[in-house]
Amino acid sequence: MTERVTTSLSDVVPEEALSLPSTDWGRFGPGANVVVCPSNVDEVAATIRWAGATGTRVVPIGTGRHTEGNEPSGDFLLLSTSRMASVQIYEPGDLTLTAEAGLGISALSKVTAENRQWLPFDPVDFPRRSLGGLGAAGQTGPLWTGYGELKNHILGMTVVCGDGRFLKLGGRVVKNVAGFDILRPVVGSRGALAVITSLTVRLFPRPVVDRLLVLEAKSLVDLVGPARAVAMASVLPASIVLVRERNVCQLLVRLHGAAETADADQRTVEAAAGVPFVAVDGGSARVLADSVRDIGGESDLALHAFVLPSRLRELLAIVNDMVDLNVCADVYRGSLRVSCAPEADADEIATRVRHGMERVAEDVVVERLPRGSTHSLGTSRVRSDAVLELERGVKRVFDAGNVLWDGRP
Amino acid sequence: MSSPLPAAVVRSLREIVGRGHLITEPDRLVVYESDGLTAYRVPPRAVVLPASTEEVSRVVAVLHAANIAVIPRGAGTGLSGGALATAEGVVVGTARMNAILEIDASNRLARVQPGVINARLTEAAKPHGLYYAPDPSSQSTCTLGGNVAENSGGPHCLKYGVTSRYVTSLTVVLAHGRVVSLGGAGADPNASLDLVGLFVGSEGCFGIATEIEVRLLPIAEGVRTLLGIFDTMEAAGRAVTSIMGIGLLPAAMEIVDNATIRAVEASVFAAGYPIDAGAALIVEFDGTEAGLDADADRAEACCVQEGASAVQRAAEADHRAALWKGRKKAFGAMGRIAPDLLVQDATVPRTRLPEVLVRIAELGERYDLKIANVFHAGDGNLHPNILFDRLDLDELDRVERASKEIMALCVEVGGTITGEHGVGIDKRDYMPLVHGPEELAAMAAAKAVFDPDGLFNPDKVLPLRTQGTEPAAGAEA
Ligand SMILES: Cc1cc2nc3c(=O)[nH]c(=O)nc-3n(C[C@H](O)[C@H](O)[C@H](O)COP(=O)(O)OP(=O)(O)OC[C@H]3O[C@@H](n4cnc5c(N)ncnc54)[C@H](O)[C@@H]3O)c2cc1C
């Protein structure tokens, strides 16, 4: 199969764009018929048209590292944007950057750091994501508290739809209401609507002070009171995170701003929580924040539960005594990510946690499971027929032939 | 001239909303013949004022069953003709749906009906130490439904972002009265496609938002306002770039030009701006009290470095209001010096502001038009206001040509034709300046997902060729 597909694909894309399937391309790597790494938009479109014509599903990926959801069952190819990785326009004075989708976040960060600018997002494994993958996943991380959601900072995109159509969505400016915002559903659609080939993002000035306030306690629920008090305080921190890893429980409040501001905000936070925190600044703060961000990144199990923030305590109570679980909660959103150590029995843990969470949470998303798990990936939320119909309609706008794989759980 | 509604439709509508809330008398319909863009006037066939989601749903069902188009309307302050009726269409107004349903302080959320006035929500949230961030300059009159439909911005959106950042959930009435709930603050934001994000900014063309859930923010502890006076617009524009360039993120940065200053100072709204100044720049910081003076010092240094002849600073509410007065009263003051005003709205990359402002001034000279600029400089969101008399047909023609050139100029430097006022009917035919046929077709297809029969706000946003319909009957430009 692989050989036949590769041969006819090489009629439409150059040989160097084709790679053999392997685990190097992430979870779906081994099962794919072929991996195509186009070097430009025309090759993306040609690949998609070819796939449509041959009944092959297309799964868009960046590096493949963060592929989630269900694997396609029939013939499919992975379309990686990894060879499309150039910065196209960077105007520091505008605080905007346009780059091809395959640009890695760490490479992007190096470019913007020269001007003390950054993309203030922190989903798991952020630096190792591609810009396109970030947009397709639509995940912001806890820094949304201070900066808003990723989707609000994606100003424009170019995409190739399921029939090979090339569309320019949005623009390069921070305010733009010229027409219906058909960019928005693409963000977070995980490649189900279109292959993102470039993005324009809004950047932010790097804060002068990056401070992490740390409070430790014996159990997670002991930290909920202070965490909620901080979330209700008059200052809005950059993020508020509650973590438990290897049975160490911490509340981490991240403050960004000028030195005077950070000092004053720290006093406000401590007054709200009613306890002093340990303050970590600068490089050490970033190292700690990064390690917390990536908790569970390598775990076989990833469960994500969502409630309104005022009900976070109820969610945490479920996992409080399950000390073999690693937990990372975004206090301002009211979400909780659960993972486990490599040696743990992920399937057994999923059984223990899932049911309890589903009773409390508005959404429980099983994002990752060990191979052979008795559970299935997916969300507990039942979307109404009307919403599903609208979603199908939007899918048709971009990919009427259903060429692009919708693996969203 | 529109035809009267069929008697059976009138009966059904009266039954749903009550006799007093269906307007069909021509003299009363005049009130609804335009929005804030008065150059276009079309009296609707009727106006219906429902009071609940259920009533909206039933009203839409009755109208759509009779194949009658529905034009949603909030306060009618829109500046792109979005709420303009079609001769055969019926306006569904949200004026009676003005309840704040819930302020959930512990989750910093509010749930409102669409007819709630923007500033009223902030007032209601105040006792909880919270406020609603998007603040269009029309906030004392415009509705949240209108804000959602236009994805409105405002002076403080530089730091806080526009409406779409705050809307977490919507109840919408779609074609034939189908009621759908989208989103939800407590749910996984990526659990389904971002239909809320798609609906926001749909300008009444997808359906009617009947319940809106938004995020609230904590009220900032302190505020500092600076007013910098400059000899030229270019210098003020450079100061904006320089302030952002050193890593400051003010809450607002607004510029008014000399023509506006003169209009304001000659009016009852006189704010004490020097009338020979080329431009005045307002810079506002908010947040933790302790850091504000340092930020203001650094911004002031930027202004001075770029040639500001004077910089005033205010911390107290009264003094701050005085510095803002010239900006806030600009539109009112301009009404005094010309019978008509076209508020243009376009965005450019911020670094291109100085150049674009010079070229807009040149356009004003070339077309012999008075153009006054009042705008959200930090976002690069320009409002060149063209003053004219619409009874002077030659001038009207020059206004149209200059307006088109301004949009083309903004697009040429990497910007867009509208930053916050929307496309409506006014910019519909200029959409091809920014979007190709494929993009326009995709937008039309997206509308058809929500409104397959094209019965919500027809003839708006997309060029008629894209929509495949005839020109709007009765629209006079
Ligand atoms: C002096 C002045 C200053 C302004 N300043 C700003 C500013 O700073 N920033 C800015 O962004 N705008 C500004 N505007 C424009 C205008 O106020 C905004 O567009 C506002 O959001 C319109 O709200 P409205 O209630 O008046 O809506 P309307 O004008 O009644 O309607 C606007 C559009 O929304 C649709 N609509 C209304 N309600 C609903 C609903 N419930 N569901 C679906 N569709 C609906 C209508 O069909 C129409 O297309 C200004 C206007 C004026 C007159």
Side-chain angles (χ1 to χ4, degrees):
Chain A
M1 181 66 195
T2 301
E3 205 174 315
R4 182 182 66 77
V5 170
T6 309
T7 313
S8 69
L9 245 184
S10 59
D11 294 341
V12 293
V13 289
E15 202 65 53
E16 64 266 26
L18 302 176
S19 265
L20 288 175
S22 77
T23 49
D24 291 350
W25 297 102
R27 286 179 52 226
F28 296 172
N33 295 3
V34 63
V35 181
V36 189
C37 307
S39 63
N40 58 47
V41 167
D42 290 340
E43 288 175 16
V44 173
T47 305
I48 292 178
R49 285 203 191 95
W50 176 89
T54 58
T56 309
R57 279 280 166 73
V58 174
V59 182
I61 58 168
T63 59
R65 264 186 82 84
H66 307 96
T67 321
E68 276 170 8
N70 298 304
E71 187 166 334
S73 45
D75 288 338
F76 73 97
L77 64 81
L78 296 179
L79 191 158
S80 165
T81 56
S82 54
R83 288 175 70 229
M84 299 172 66
S86 67
V87 174
Q88 295 171 319
I89 306 170
Y90 175 34
E91 181 49 76
D94 291 331
L95 284 160
T96 59
L97 178 141
T98 304
E100 287 183 300
L103 180 70
I105 297 296
S106 62
L108 179 152
S109 303
K110 274 198 197 100
V111 173
T112 59
E114 286 171 23
N115 295 290
R116 290 196 55 81
Q117 296 180 354
W118 70 319
L119 262 184
F121 310 122
D122 56 350
V124 177
D125 211 22
F126 181 54
R128 288 197 280 186
R129 289 174 185 257
S130 65
L131 187 58
L134 184 72
Q139 289 167 352
T140 310
L143 278 173
W144 83 281
T145 308
Y147 292 91
E149 304 271 5
L150 168 71
K151 60 190 173 194
N152 299 120
H153 302 306
I154 296 183
L155 310 175
M157 273 182 184
T158 57
V159 301
V160 178
C161 304
D163 53 3
R165 252 176 316 148
F166 174 74
L167 296 180
K168 277 185 181 169
L169 309 178
R172 273 173 48 208
V173 282
V174 292
K175 272 169 92 178
N176 186 354
V177 290
F180 305 133
D181 198 353
I182 54 175
L183 179 153
R184 285 294 286 258
V186 178
V187 180
S189 66
R190 294 197 160 277
L193 299 185
V195 177
I196 301 170
T197 52
S198 75
L199 286 98
T200 299
V201 285
R202 181 183 179 178
L203 303 169
F204 284 77
R206 263 235 175 251
V208 180
V209 170
D210 189 350
R211 178 171 301 169
L212 214 49
L213 303 180
V214 185
L215 182 65
E216 273 196 31
K218 288 218 175 62
S219 78
L220 282 171
V221 288
D222 291 346
L223 289 169
V224 178
R228 283 286 298 151
V230 174
M232 300 293 291
S234 58
V235 299
L236 194 60
S239 65
I240 313 170
V241 177
L242 252 175
V243 288
R244 181 178 67 201
E245 192 181 26
R246 289 185 219 95
N247 211 13
V248 176
C249 301
Q250 290 178 320
L251 168 62
L252 299 138
V253 181
R254 199 163 177 187
L255 300 176
H256 285 165
E260 311 86 329
T261 319
D263 291 345
D265 286 354
Q266 179 174 346
R267 287 191 292 276
T268 308
V269 164
E270 292 180 334
V275 280
F277 285 64
V278 174
V280 187
D281 268 355
S284 315
R286 274 204 292 279
V287 170
L288 180 53
D290 290 353
S291 75
V292 167
R293 176 196 66 205
D294 292 343
I295 288 176
E298 304 290 338
S299 166
D300 272 350
L301 172 74
L303 277 175
H304 215 150
F306 296 81
V307 280
L308 283 174
S310 59
R311 297 190 59 203
L312 188 61
R313 178 185 291 275
E314 295 168 55
L315 261 189
L316 285 164
I318 295 167
V319 294
N320 194 54
D321 297 329
M322 303 181 187
V323 290
D324 50 341
L325 295 186
N326 294 332
V327 171
C328 192
D330 175 344
V331 176
Y332 207 68
R333 188 190 297 286
S335 69
L336 185 69
R337 202 155 34 81
V338 171
S339 55
C340 60
E343 64 279 6
D345 181 347
D347 207 38
E348 181 273 326
I349 290 173
T351 309
R352 245 191 300 151
V353 179
R354 190 176 184 175
H355 187 61
M357 279 189 165
E358 282 176 356
R359 268 187 290 119
V360 174
E362 293 198 21
D363 253 346
V364 178
V365 188
V366 183
E367 292 175 343
R368 214 177 316 134
L369 284 168
R371 279 202 180 273
S373 170
T374 52
H375 292 267
S376 54
L377 297 170
T379 171
S380 62
R381 191 176 173 89
V382 180
R383 279 171 276 168
S384 68
D385 288 345
V387 166
L388 288 171
E389 196 184 319
L390 290 173
E391 288 204 76
R392 280 194 293 270
V394 175
K395 168 84 173 163
R396 276 196 302 275
V397 171
F398 289 91
D399 179 28
N402 202 13
V403 172
L404 299 164
W405 173 238
D406 187 352
R408 289 173 307 137
Chain B
M1 194 60 198
S2 56
S3 50
L5 284 178
V9 170
V10 170
R11 254 196 321 276
S12 301
L13 294 176
R14 281 202 181 127
E15 198 183 298
I16 298 165
V17 297
R19 178 171 283 274
H21 304 301
L22 172 69
I23 303 170
T24 52
E25 305 84 335
D27 55 333
R28 289 180 66 201
L29 291 175
V30 171
V31 178
Y32 297 90
E33 71 175 3
S34 77
D35 63 3
L37 180 66
T38 52
Y40 298 91
R41 293 163 201 257
V42 182
R45 216 166 163 188
V47 175
V48 197
L49 300 170
S52 65
T53 298
E54 196 221 327
E55 285 188 12
V56 173
S57 162
R58 290 172 62 201
V59 164
V60 169
V62 166
L63 291 170
H64 283 181
N67 207 27
I68 295 170
V70 167
I71 295 94
R73 184 180 176 103
T77 67
L79 291 172
S80 54
L84 184 76
T86 54
E88 296 303 316
V90 168
V91 165
V92 175
T94 59
R96 291 174 66 222
M97 299 178 72
N98 57 4
I100 295 175
L101 301 169
E102 187 184 6
I103 302 265
D104 175 1
S106 65
N107 291 303
R108 293 187 170 167
L109 294 169
R111 213 158 41 80
V112 300
Q113 286 189 306
V116 169
I117 303 294
N118 175 301
R120 240 191 86 215
L121 176 57
T122 282
E123 274 306 308
K126 209 171 175 182
H128 305 280
L130 301 171
Y131 78 110
Y132 178 61
D135 60 340
S137 305
S138 52
Q139 72 178 145
S140 56
T141 41
C142 66
T143 66
L144 283 155
N147 296 170
V148 165
E150 298 287 359
N151 194 11
S152 298
H156 292 85
C157 292
L158 171 58
K159 179 171 173 185
Y160 293 106
V162 295
T163 303
S164 59
R165 179 161 163 184
Y166 295 90
V167 181
T168 51
S169 149
L170 291 171
T171 301
V172 295
V173 172
L174 301 183
H176 301 282
R178 197 160 51 120
V179 181
V180 184
S181 288
L182 308 173
D188 174 6
N190 292 316
S192 63
L193 296 178
D194 186 5
L195 298 174
V196 171
L198 179 56
F199 192 94
V200 173
S202 60
E203 300 199 23
C205 298
F206 286 11
I208 305 183
T210 57
E211 217 173 283
I212 303 165
E213 182 188 62
V214 291
R215 288 195 190 282
L216 303 172
L217 289 182
I219 297 171
E221 192 183 17
V223 185
R224 293 293 179 282
T225 306
L226 302 178
L227 176 69
I229 301 298
F230 293 84
D231 289 343
T232 64
M233 282 282 275
E234 248 187 302
R238 281 199 313 269
V240 168
T241 302
S242 145
I243 289 167
M244 298 293 283
I246 60 167
L248 293 173
L249 184 55
M253 279 208 276
E254 302 278 307
I255 289 182
V256 289
D257 71 354
N258 175 265
T260 311
I261 293 172
R262 282 179 188 276
V264 172
E265 293 306 318
S267 75
V268 289
F269 307 120
Y273 292 8
I275 58 162
D276 53 349
L281 166 65
I282 294 170
V283 183
E284 187 155 283
F285 293 95
D286 68 3
T288 302
E289 185 62 43
L292 292 175
D293 282 325
D295 284 352
D297 287 346
R298 295 166 73 205
E300 183 171 339
C302 291
C303 291
V304 171
Q305 194 190 321
E306 297 300 342
S309 54
V311 183
Q312 291 183 53
R313 188 186 301 195
E316 301 312 318
D318 288 354
H319 192 190
R320 287 197 291 108
L323 297 191
W324 268 102
K325 194 173 171 190
R327 163 67 181 92
K328 296 219 161 162
K329 298 296 179 190
F331 290 107
M334 275 184 244
R336 274 187 68 257
I337 53 175
D340 294 289
L341 175 69
L342 184 121
V343 184
Q344 186 47 278
D345 161 50
T347 312
V348 297
R350 191 173 36 240
T351 49
R352 307 299 293 270
L353 270 178
E355 167 200 345
V356 168
L357 291 167
V358 169
R359 288 175 65 185
I360 288 175
E362 285 167 6
L363 281 173
E365 273 171 35
R366 178 142 54 87
Y367 284 102
D368 190 21
L369 291 169
K370 195 166 239 167
I371 302 182
N373 292 283
V374 187
F375 60 98
H376 312 305
D379 294 318
N381 188 184
L382 292 161
H383 291 321
N385 302 301
I386 310 181
L387 300 148
F388 68 106
D389 177 355
R390 70 194 178 101
L391 299 179
D392 178 344
L393 295 182
D394 175 60
E395 192 174 45
L396 190 61
D397 176 56
R398 282 180 281 125
V399 168
E400 277 195 3
R401 283 189 289 143
S403 188
K404 182 170 183 191
E405 279 206 44
I406 291 172
M407 284 186 272
L409 163 63
C410 293
V411 174
E412 177 200 317
V413 301
T416 189
I417 60 169
T418 168
E420 59 180 18
H421 294 168
V423 177
I425 198 147
D426 190 43
K427 295 194 167 171
R428 182 188 67 191
D429 296 333
Y430 301 116
M431 285 284 275
L433 287 175
V434 266
H435 299 295
E438 295 280 23
E439 287 78 10
L440 292 171
M443 286 184 200
K447 173 176 163 69
V449 170
F450 288 82
D451 177 26
D453 303 326
L455 288 171
F456 275 112
N457 218 3
D459 301 347
K460 304 285 168 61
V461 181
L462 298 173
L464 298 179
R465 220 173 320 140
T466 312
Q467 298 190 34
T469 56
E470 296 301 313
E476 60 166 78

